[in-house]
Amino acid sequence: MDPKGPVPVSLFFTCLADAFAPGVCFATVEVLERFGAQVRVPLSQTCCGQPAFNTGNRKEARAMARKFLRSFPEDGYIVTPSGSCASMVKHGYPVLFRDEPRTLALARAASERIYELSQFLVEVLGVTDPKSSFTGKVTYHDSCHLRRGLGVVDPPRTLLRAIPGVKLVEMEESDRCCGFGGVFSVKHPQVSCRMTEQKIERILATGASYVTAGDLGCLLSIGGMISRHGYPVKAVHLAEILAGAPWDAEEAF
Amino acid sequence: MEVRSRAFARYAQRALSDKALQAALNGATGRLSALRAAAIAAFPGYDAARERASAVKEDTLARLDEQLARFIEEASRRGAVVHVARDAAQAREIAVGIAKEEGISLAVKSKSMVAEEVDLNAALQEAGVEVVESDLGEYIVQLAGEPPSHIIVPAVHKTRGEISRLFETRLGEPPTDSIPRLVATARKRLREKFLSAGMGITGANFLVAETGSVVLLTNEGNGRMGTTLPRVHLAVTGIEKVLPRMSDLPVFLRLLPRSATGQPLTSYVSILTGTRREGDPEGPERLHILLVDGGRSAILEGKYREMLKCIRCGACLNACPVYQNVGGHAYGWVYPGPMGAVLTPLLTGLAESSPLPDASTLCGACAEVCPVKIPLPHFLLELRADVREQGLKTPGEIAGMKMLASVMKRAGLLEAAERILGALSQFLSRGNPISGLPYPFAGWTERRDFPAAAKRPFRKEWKIRRGVRE
């Protein structure tokens, strides 16, 4: 950790977690503060623009991305409990502003400062033990944008394995897409559901009590299907496991 | 081939309810992916090979005109007649002209996606030439009257029971569940065709500019028989298949089969250079090479140039969870899966195929396995933007996105929207997950719930807990 003092971190809480899972945002703050980060929460932030970008609506995506860039201070890290939102800022912004040199410079700077939570803890703060009190058999789903977009494979596993009460059990093809895909799940719900069903089969085969991931989107789809069919497993965001019990059951997706 | 890609959603739904198709697809794509993964893991030079293959392709595309001119010159010097077709219609016209001029009544064909692209079989058959597919998978789909559903494994969607029934009705063979028996039947039937055909039609996996050679990779030997037994050989391929030197070939011979089927090398690699010379024991008397542009020059000029690096290995199909579930026919044209979702719009125009770029979760599995490093998810995103620019989006989606952006431009507006959303979802769900969302989200909740919005969003709760003044 930085010997010079607290590490300044701006929380990018994401519009999805803001509206549907505030507990995930609080858990993220708790974990960051536990490891000495000085967490700032820019209250003017909204959405990174991913829904517009991923549907090809570039003009609207740019408007939202500009708002993002204005909302965050120009110094310190930006940390978010979402692999796909981090990936949007990191890889999407340079594409969005490729023809606008001034904004592009800002976008590039932001893309260098943004981290997903587990990545930040392990790669920047050097955390090896999250000091969490969570208990249970857990299986981890590799969200596509976290794994392939940001290249984060080991950090969540390292952290989960370090929690004494957690038994991490790997599912088959943990890196296979869960079928959410943002707007894909709305445009092609049948295909999306089939993929989610396949993911759940693999989750259930592990016998885990909890499935976790670093992306709320995946958990909305996986958790939504678990809730509909009453499968014996709970979908919990990685931040909540890292924050540890007491975990609020009402926050289940 | 007629482009039916606009109906992707309908075809996809139909495919999802076809149990035999699901069993065949999931089994085969899973097996092929596993074979690929094992072959790559056992190939220590993979990363370097991938870099090199990608670089060779880049370099070739940067001076494609020059490479093509060289290829035409060298192939012609060795007795080939090289034709260039600017589009499908011209390609058909040239092929029919060759068949007539050579007096062909029967042609055996080995797999060629470009031939599918230009609808070659139909044109030749209309001109009185019988065309028999000689790749086992292609033979099966030809008997079924279907287009291929995979670029490497054309009949991947068929179970052995379906194939037995097909052989029963179309060939009068007794039913069997033995795969060797099915293969033997096809082999026997095809052997007769090989021996009596006047022309062998093939595609080309690669063209070598330095020597004017056509390179074919096959596993069944049909490519070799089709190019050596008949009097005439017609190779139909895209202009992007050219490689500068023979020394550029080995890296592709290693990458293509490993990516496609997990093999270190295909069973047969044919390097065909010129016509039969005096004293040659075999080979065609006449060699025609038909190079099809069909929109490729236009791709070369634009932002999707790298798509022309594609070596048609099919790895992205097998890796794609959407393809794994909907199969090739859902994509509505010759090229399926992630490569097809990019290539089809580029070759046929987005107006004909605008749903294809959306047929992906952007999971990135395709790019991860692409041996020549084509940024497929990036291209899908670019194409989605082109759909909007070309005015092909529904007014509803545009209105929705405009509304989203206008709300997201101000945190205050978002908070107000969240208040409405919260109240509405609490009313609908009484705090439980929502089991029925209205249009256009109704499909989402058909088989899964959606969470109710939080009573108090994080931003609001944070302000309260931390005493931030409004």
Side-chain angles (χ1 to χ4, degrees):
Chain A
M1 253 177 276
D2 190 345
K4 285 173 289 198
V7 181
V9 168
S10 296
L11 174 70
F12 167 27
F13 49 76
T14 82
C15 57
L16 213 55
D18 180 27
F20 295 100
V24 170
C25 312
F26 280 108
T28 307
V29 175
E30 193 179 322
V31 177
L32 287 169
E33 287 181 340
R34 184 183 298 163
F35 293 98
Q38 188 183 50
V39 182
R40 298 179 281 193
V41 180
L43 289 169
S44 63
Q45 65 176 292
T46 58
C47 164
C48 62
Q50 191 179 188
F53 181 67
N54 281 2
T55 47
N57 296 290
R58 295 269 164 104
K59 198 176 143 212
E60 288 74 17
R62 270 192 287 274
M64 287 149 83
R66 273 194 204 98
K67 164 72 180 158
F68 178 96
L69 294 171
R70 277 199 307 272
S71 301
F72 283 83
E74 287 185 25
D75 63 322
Y77 297 99
I78 303 171
V79 176
T80 180
S82 163
S84 69
C85 302
S87 181
M88 171 67 199
V89 174
K90 196 168 199 66
H91 304 301
Y93 282 18
V95 173
L96 270 180
F97 298 113
R98 61 191 168 198
D99 299 324
E100 295 177 34
R102 276 183 58 192
T103 319
L104 183 61
L106 264 180
R108 287 237 169 88
S111 88
E112 277 163 27
R113 296 190 292 129
I114 194 151
Y115 286 84
E116 177 275 336
L117 175 64
S118 71
Q119 179 190 28
F120 182 73
L121 291 173
V122 173
E123 291 177 8
V124 179
L125 297 185
V127 174
T128 50
D129 176 358
K131 300 192 185 353
S132 161
S133 58
F134 197 88
T135 305
K137 199 168 167 185
V138 176
T139 191
Y140 174 75
H141 160 66
D142 281 278
S143 301
C144 300
H145 291 101
L146 180 52
R147 186 184 175 108
R148 299 200 183 93
L150 300 178
V152 175
V153 179
D154 292 334
R157 292 179 164 85
T158 306
L159 295 173
L160 286 168
R161 283 202 191 94
I163 304 171
V166 167
K167 183 173 191 294
L168 177 66
V169 279
E170 291 283 349
M171 70 178 93
E172 288 276 314
E173 290 189 278
S174 64
D175 63 340
R176 190 179 196 268
C177 179
C178 69
F180 175 66
V183 181
F184 179 84
S185 62
V186 175
K187 285 199 172 176
H188 297 291
Q190 276 88 0
V191 188
S192 167
C193 278
R194 177 63 59 89
M195 287 161 66
T196 310
E197 280 163 7
Q198 290 160 344
K199 176 58 69 177
I200 286 178
E201 272 172 36
R202 291 166 171 94
I203 293 167
L204 293 176
T206 64
S209 318
Y210 300 95
V211 53
T212 193
D215 228 307
L216 197 58
C218 309
L219 293 169
L220 285 184
S221 195
I222 294 170
M225 196 163 276
I226 289 171
S227 141
R228 173 68 59 91
H229 299 277
Y231 295 122
V233 58
K234 285 192 179 71
V236 192
H237 193 283
L238 184 64
E240 294 174 308
I241 293 188
L242 298 179
W247 172 66
D248 182 1
E250 278 175 27
E251 292 274 336
F253 309 115
Chain B
M1 197 174 149
E2 195 191 335
V3 191
R4 294 196 179 91
S5 305
R6 272 182 298 200
F8 175 82
R10 192 155 45 84
Y11 291 143
Q13 274 192 47
R14 194 193 295 164
L16 285 175
S17 54
D18 184 337
K19 290 222 164 63
L21 177 78
Q22 290 299 313
L25 266 178
N26 276 306
T29 54
R31 274 194 300 279
L32 287 166
S33 289
L35 286 168
R36 178 207 160 270
I40 298 302
F43 181 21
Y46 177 62
D47 288 335
R50 204 179 176 212
E51 286 292 336
R52 166 145 169 76
S54 176
V56 167
K57 278 284 184 184
E58 282 279 0
D59 176 47
T60 313
L61 292 173
R63 47 197 185 101
L64 189 62
D65 281 353
E66 186 192 316
Q67 296 304 326
L68 278 173
R70 176 100 197 267
F71 174 79
I72 293 170
E73 191 189 322
E74 296 299 331
S76 308
R77 206 149 66 81
R78 290 167 174 84
V81 185
V82 185
H83 313 258
V84 182
R86 74 179 166 268
D87 57 19
Q90 201 181 18
R92 287 192 294 266
E93 194 183 308
I94 293 170
V96 167
I98 294 168
K100 282 190 174 153
E101 190 188 302
E102 304 281 1
I104 307 297
S105 57
L106 170 65
V108 279
K109 185 161 158 280
S110 84
K111 194 146 56 68
S112 158
M113 299 313 292
V114 177
E116 297 287 336
E117 192 183 313
V118 304
D119 230 348
L120 190 70
N121 288 13
L124 287 171
Q125 274 152 1
E126 212 169 283
V129 182
E130 185 194 352
V131 185
V132 180
E133 293 290 346
S134 63
D135 172 274
L136 178 59
E138 284 276 356
Y139 182 62
I140 291 165
V141 294
Q142 187 181 36
L143 286 180
E146 292 172 10
S149 78
H150 191 291
I151 59 174
I152 295 291
V153 202
V156 68
H157 58 299
K158 293 230 177 287
T159 58
R160 90 176 73 162
E162 287 175 306
I163 295 164
S164 167
R165 281 192 292 282
L166 195 61
F167 281 13
E168 200 184 337
T169 52
R170 300 303 306 271
L171 305 174
E173 293 285 336
T176 175
D177 61 359
S178 150
I179 290 175
R181 287 263 300 277
L182 291 170
V183 175
T185 297
R187 180 188 300 243
K188 192 177 82 196
R189 299 276 179 155
L190 288 171
R191 197 54 59 104
E192 296 156 15
K193 302 289 182 186
F194 278 121
L195 291 169
S196 48
M199 181 159 78
I201 304 171
T202 68
N205 293 98
F206 305 98
L207 304 168
V208 181
E210 183 183 37
T211 55
S213 308
V214 174
V215 183
L216 292 177
L217 277 65
T218 70
N219 271 322
E220 298 170 17
N222 60 322
R224 194 184 54 161
M225 289 207 278
T227 54
T228 50
L229 291 173
R231 186 168 50 81
V232 182
H233 173 202
L234 167 62
V236 187
T237 193
I239 55 168
E240 81 282 18
K241 292 292 176 74
V242 68
L243 299 175
R245 293 163 300 269
M246 197 54 92
S247 58
D248 295 318
L249 184 61
V251 69
F252 292 97
L253 297 185
R254 305 178 85 187
L255 279 176
L256 175 56
R258 280 180 168 90
S259 301
T261 52
Q263 294 168 284
L265 198 62
T266 49
S267 308
Y268 298 87
V269 176
S270 306
I271 301 178
L272 306 154
T273 310
T275 47
R276 179 195 294 225
R277 284 153 299 191
E278 224 177 280
D280 279 358
E282 57 182 24
E285 290 162 26
R286 307 267 292 159
L287 168 60
H288 294 271
I289 302 169
L290 174 51
L291 302 176
V292 180
D293 185 314
R296 287 162 174 77
S297 298
I299 298 174
L300 194 68
E301 300 302 316
K303 60 180 172 177
Y304 300 104
R305 185 172 81 174
E306 276 187 89
M307 193 59 219
L308 295 178
K309 284 157 69 180
C310 179
I311 58 171
R312 311 287 192 264
C313 67
C316 63
L317 279 60
N318 302 325
C320 175
V322 175
Y323 176 89
Q324 286 176 354
N325 282 305
V326 304
H329 290 163
Y331 292 80
W333 200 53
V334 182
Y335 301 104
M339 58 79 71
V342 174
L343 197 55
T344 302
L346 297 180
L347 293 179
T348 70
L350 270 171
E352 295 293 324
S353 58
S354 59
L356 291 189
D358 284 335
S360 162
T361 62
L362 302 174
C363 78
C366 51
E368 194 172 83
V369 298
C370 178
V372 287
K373 302 178 87 166
I374 299 171
L376 291 160
H378 172 70
F379 282 172
L380 291 170
L381 278 165
E382 289 290 321
L383 283 164
R384 291 177 186 191
D386 293 351
V387 169
R388 168 79 185 261
E389 260 177 37
Q390 293 179 22
L392 297 165
K393 281 219 181 278
T394 61
E397 184 186 319
I398 295 174
M401 280 300 158
K402 281 190 170 154
M403 204 165 79
L404 182 72
S406 58
V407 169
M408 294 301 181
K409 271 192 262 184
R410 282 180 52 200
L413 262 182
L414 174 57
E415 267 189 276
E418 280 174 342
R419 254 202 307 280
I420 298 167
L421 185 73
L424 202 67
S425 74
Q426 292 298 328
F427 173 74
L428 282 173
S429 68
R430 292 181 182 82
N432 298 314
I434 298 166
S435 56
L437 284 171
Y439 175 84
F441 307 104
W444 217 96
T445 45
E446 240 173 63
R447 277 145 70 195
R448 64 192 154 194
D449 294 338
F450 196 80
K455 284 188 190 118
R456 261 203 301 266
F458 170 72
R459 190 194 322 263
K460 182 85 181 166
E461 187 73 33
W462 178 265
K463 285 183 196 168
I464 293 168
R465 288 199 203 172
R466 301 277 165 139
V468 180
R469 282 195 15 217
E470 293 272 351

